[in-house]
Amino acid sequence: MTNCLECDAGIIIPDDAVEGEIVTCAECGASFELVKASDGFELKPAQTIGEDWGQ
Amino acid sequence: VTSKITVLYDTIRLEEKLLIESAKKNNIDIEMVDCKKLFIDLSENTQNFQTVLQRCVSYYRNIHSTATLEGLGAKVVNSLNTGILAGNKLFTHMLLQKAGVPTPEATIAFSKEAAMNALEKNGYPKIIKPTVGSWGRMVSKLNNKDSAEAIIESRESMYPIYQIHFLEEFVQRPPRDIRAIVIGDKVAGAIYRITDKDNWKTNTHLGGSAETCKVTNEMEDMCIKAKNAVQGEIVGVDLMESDDKGLVVHEINNTTEFRNVVRVTGVDVPTQILEHVKNMSG
């Protein structure tokens, strides 16, 4: 469990999480990218969807 | 030479997690490389990239990193040519037409005035699409002269790519389209993407739902031809069921999403992708 950088609500990071994954705060909807830290993951504000994103 | 597959990504979506999971389960040697952290001196392949599965979601990052690694001697799936050709709706249209793959009627116009003249001649409604772009962004239905004027006018002040006007027929069809995942010379699976009643766009990003689509021989044949037309290896082919022309291909996706195909059909797309790339490297 870590805390949302926007609203401080608890964010549960799933067991199978990998670096670079985007998690979203259930309370305020802010999105964060998971960054490896010494013990687990830290949150970094995620890039919003880029103008050239797609498939 | 190693059999390791580099998976080049910039965002971990469900697709990338499924690839990681599959590699673990099947003992396939992959390394995940975040393209956002890469810098590469262009004179030498010091980082020893050999076989690369390109998964970057950003179009520009995708084709520029592919050009770099391919230029340094790596095998990149899909290739730079495929990225460029499939990444542009006009280029794709011309190649499909040449390959004899049915595709919606379209007109290209190189200014607002020319686009308005084309619409006057060919009639409404038409779909206007940027030649480069995804997820249905800036794809609009032009119902009449007034709406066309307004929409095309708004593009006059944008980046020049938005002043190339690709005008496509509004295909009369059931309220769904088809996404087929092509891996090598086989369609791995296909789904219907069903629109909700308030939206004519079928992108599942926009809230459409999905159901299994049975792959017919005709459909498979069209999909393989479409993939070959853009020199692809692993692509997502989008088709519509036109009321008067039958199946038509309207788009080929270079870095295809496949989560809904996996979820709905149960086909193990990520493992088929990794196996295919592995066989290409060996």
Side-chain angles (χ1 to χ4, degrees):
Chain A
M1 176 81 98
T2 185
N3 290 81
C4 176
L5 303 178
E6 288 290 338
C7 75
D8 205 39
I11 295 181
I12 296 166
I13 296 175
D15 291 340
D16 64 347
V18 291
E19 187 170 34
E21 189 174 341
I22 307 288
V23 293
T24 302
C25 174
E27 298 269 326
C28 73
S31 290
F32 302 96
E33 182 179 333
L34 297 180
V35 181
K36 265 214 180 91
S38 49
D39 55 340
F41 291 104
E42 284 175 1
L43 302 179
K44 183 178 114 180
Q47 184 191 354
T48 49
I49 290 175
E51 205 181 324
D52 72 334
W53 281 26
Q55 51 180 329
Chain B
V1 179
T2 89
S3 60
K4 183 187 277 182
I5 300 168
T6 301
V7 178
L8 191 61
Y9 71 94
D10 54 8
T11 306
I12 298 279
R13 293 168 287 179
L14 183 54
E15 281 77 9
E16 285 65 44
K17 292 190 82 168
L18 292 171
L19 288 165
I20 294 168
E21 200 179 287
S22 161
K24 261 189 207 149
K25 196 175 67 192
N26 297 292
N27 256 327
I28 299 171
D29 191 10
I30 66 167
E31 60 167 354
M32 299 297 295
V33 173
D34 183 349
C35 193
K36 301 192 299 300
K37 294 186 178 152
L38 270 190
F39 63 89
I40 301 169
D41 295 328
L42 299 178
S43 56
E44 207 184 336
N45 190 358
T46 47
Q47 291 155 87
N48 197 26
F49 288 106
Q50 294 189 3
T51 305
V52 180
L53 177 61
Q54 174 60 268
R55 291 295 311 168
C56 285
V57 68
S58 153
Y59 168 74
Y60 290 110
R61 203 180 272 137
N62 186 310
I63 56 170
H64 287 82
S65 57
T66 298
T68 302
L69 299 181
E70 209 171 271
L72 290 172
K75 171 82 195 167
V76 186
V77 179
N78 288 306
S79 69
L80 176 60
N81 279 355
T82 306
I84 292 168
L85 300 173
N88 183 301
K89 292 187 178 67
L90 171 70
F91 300 174
T92 301
H93 179 94
M94 300 318 291
L95 291 165
L96 288 172
Q97 188 170 288
K98 207 170 182 179
V101 178
T103 186
E105 296 289 330
T107 305
I108 194 81
F110 300 103
S111 70
K112 181 188 167 203
E113 190 193 353
M116 292 309 298
N117 288 341
L119 290 161
E120 193 63 39
K121 174 180 160 275
N122 294 333
Y124 297 89
K126 289 284 181 286
I127 306 297
I128 185 168
K129 296 178 169 182
T131 54
V132 173
S134 293
W135 293 345
R137 270 186 307 256
M138 290 179 59
V139 173
S140 302
K141 188 172 168 210
L142 308 176
N143 285 324
N144 52 46
K145 192 174 174 184
D146 282 351
S147 67
E149 284 268 6
I151 285 166
I152 297 172
E153 176 68 35
S154 71
R155 297 184 182 189
E156 291 286 286
S157 57
M158 294 182 187
Y159 192 70
I161 191 75
Y162 300 117
Q163 287 132 46
I164 303 290
H165 305 294
F166 185 81
L167 304 164
E168 196 175 79
E169 69 171 308
F170 183 68
V171 174
Q172 296 299 326
R173 54 169 168 85
R176 63 185 190 187
D177 76 352
I178 298 167
R179 159 64 57 88
I181 306 291
V182 187
I183 302 173
D185 284 327
K186 202 171 156 281
V187 173
I191 54 169
Y192 291 114
R193 303 186 300 183
I194 299 154
T195 55
D196 63 44
K197 61 180 184 339
D198 298 325
N199 196 346
W200 56 272
K201 295 183 188 178
T202 55
N203 306 62
T204 40
H205 275 268
L206 306 175
S209 62
E211 276 175 22
T212 299
C213 169
K214 188 177 176 301
V215 181
T216 60
N217 290 341
E218 181 204 6
M219 193 192 301
E220 181 150 42
D221 184 54
M222 275 176 71
C223 288
I224 307 294
K225 276 190 188 150
K227 180 211 68 148
N228 290 340
V230 296
Q231 303 169 34
E233 277 297 331
I234 297 169
V235 297
V237 176
D238 294 345
L239 307 98
M240 290 187 279
E241 302 150 285
S242 162
D243 289 347
D244 49 352
K245 280 186 255 180
L247 287 174
V248 292
V249 172
H250 61 283
E251 193 170 322
I252 305 174
N253 299 280
N254 173 46
T255 315
T256 187
E257 290 170 349
F258 52 78
R259 70 183 69 175
N260 290 313
V261 175
V262 172
R263 179 174 59 83
V264 172
T265 67
V267 173
D268 189 354
V269 176
T271 301
Q272 290 192 31
I273 289 177
L274 290 175
E275 292 287 354
H276 184 77
V277 175
K278 195 172 114 184
N279 291 339
M280 289 178 69
S281 72

